[in-house]
């Protein structure tokens, strides 16, 4: 999938540097000159740094609240401290930080129920994630993808369909690309019923 995405980006005029990082940036009169760790010089108009998302857990740590990759919560969104809750990009749910809109909305709904009635538990469904690259769309899902023992992959000019199955032969996740993203909802339905 990554090779196909790289090819599409290059076809669109994007310079893709792998196995290298920016080691130095110099502002020049008409842009920025970058030097990479592979000693390549690149002149560009602008630089965008996309470094990923890491939960800020400093306050929770100072308060003695359990943290791991994020602030650890149970299915009620409660932390290890009584009546302290966490949701969104900082919360670690079922061992994962899930920094997407749908889990945040579902978590907020559970939190409202917890605060107002003392009830409500999160049951995360399989979530369809869309990588919004216009020239090469990618969609994937699979809450239990880590249990995949076997993959079936189909490569076509229109895109890729990769399906992961557990030991029992049940679908546990998938990745679809290009025009094959049209199959994502059908695969998601199958995943929900597996």
């Amino acid at each position: 999938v990554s090779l196909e995405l790289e090819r599409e980006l290059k076809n669109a005029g994007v310079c893709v540097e792998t196995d290298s990082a920016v080691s130095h940036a110099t502002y020049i009169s008409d842009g920025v000159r970058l030097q990479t760790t592979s000693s390549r010089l690149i002149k560009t108009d602008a630089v965008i740094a996309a470094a990923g998302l890491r939960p800020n857990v400093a306050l929770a740590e100072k308060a003695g609240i359990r943290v791991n990759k994020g602030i650890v919560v149970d299915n009620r969104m409660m932390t290890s401290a009584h009546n302290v809750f966490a949701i969104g990009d900082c919360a670690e749910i079922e061992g994962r930080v899930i920094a997407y809109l749908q889990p945040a909305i579902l978590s907020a709904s559970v939190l409202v129920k917890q605060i107002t009635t003392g009830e409500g538990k999160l049951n995360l469904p399989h979530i369809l994630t869309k990588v919004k690259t216009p020239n090469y769309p990618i969609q994937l899902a699979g809450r239990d993808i880590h249990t995949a023992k076997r993959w079936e992959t189909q490569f076509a000019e229109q895109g890729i369909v990769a399906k992961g199955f557990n030991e029992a032969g049940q679908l546990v996740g998938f990745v679809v690309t290009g025009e094959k993203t049209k199959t994502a909802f059908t695969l998601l339905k199958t995943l929900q019923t597996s």
Side-chain angles (χ1 to χ4, degrees):
V1 171
S2 64
L3 289 174
E4 292 296 315
L5 176 59
E6 182 179 331
R7 182 179 55 80
E8 287 297 325
L9 290 171
K10 284 180 177 178
N11 288 344
V14 175
C15 175
V16 178
E17 281 283 321
T18 58
D19 298 324
S20 184
V22 173
S23 61
H24 192 76
T26 305
Y27 291 96
I28 54 179
S29 61
D30 58 344
V32 182
R33 185 177 60 229
L34 304 173
Q35 182 170 347
T36 69
T37 53
S38 62
S39 299
R40 183 159 180 233
L41 292 176
I42 302 168
K43 186 202 167 284
T44 184
D45 298 328
V47 175
I48 300 171
L53 180 68
R54 183 179 301 160
N56 184 343
V57 297
L59 180 61
E61 283 180 316
K62 284 181 184 177
I65 295 172
R66 185 170 163 236
V67 299
N68 187 29
K69 297 174 201 156
I71 300 170
V72 178
V73 297
D74 63 13
N75 63 358
R76 298 169 297 158
M77 308 288 74
M78 188 176 290
T79 68
S80 60
H82 181 65
N83 283 335
V84 177
F85 300 86
I87 63 170
D89 296 351
C90 69
E92 180 179 327
I93 304 166
E94 298 174 359
R96 298 177 296 156
V97 174
I98 311 169
Y100 301 109
L101 184 59
Q102 186 179 6
I105 291 170
L106 294 171
S107 298
S109 177
V110 169
L111 181 56
V112 167
K113 289 176 185 172
Q114 281 295 319
I115 291 171
T116 58
T117 67
E119 296 180 13
K121 293 183 180 178
L122 182 66
N123 183 16
L124 280 177
H126 291 280
I127 297 167
L128 185 63
T129 302
K130 298 177 182 182
V131 180
K132 297 174 181 121
T133 47
N135 291 353
Y136 196 70
I138 301 168
Q139 295 183 15
L140 54 127
R143 179 185 61 224
D144 306 314
I145 196 75
H146 61 282
T147 66
K149 299 293 182 193
R150 177 177 60 85
W151 284 87
E152 287 180 6
T153 308
Q154 301 167 342
F155 297 90
E157 254 184 64
Q158 301 83 14
I160 298 170
V161 176
K163 297 185 265 184
F165 298 89
N166 64 15
E167 285 182 354
Q170 294 174 309
L171 180 68
V172 292
F174 66 86
V175 179
V176 291
T177 69
E179 292 177 34
K180 296 294 185 175
T181 56
K182 294 174 185 170
T183 65
F185 287 111
T186 302
L187 287 168
L188 185 62
K189 276 185 178 178
T190 303
L191 194 57
Q192 299 285 25
T193 58
S194 296

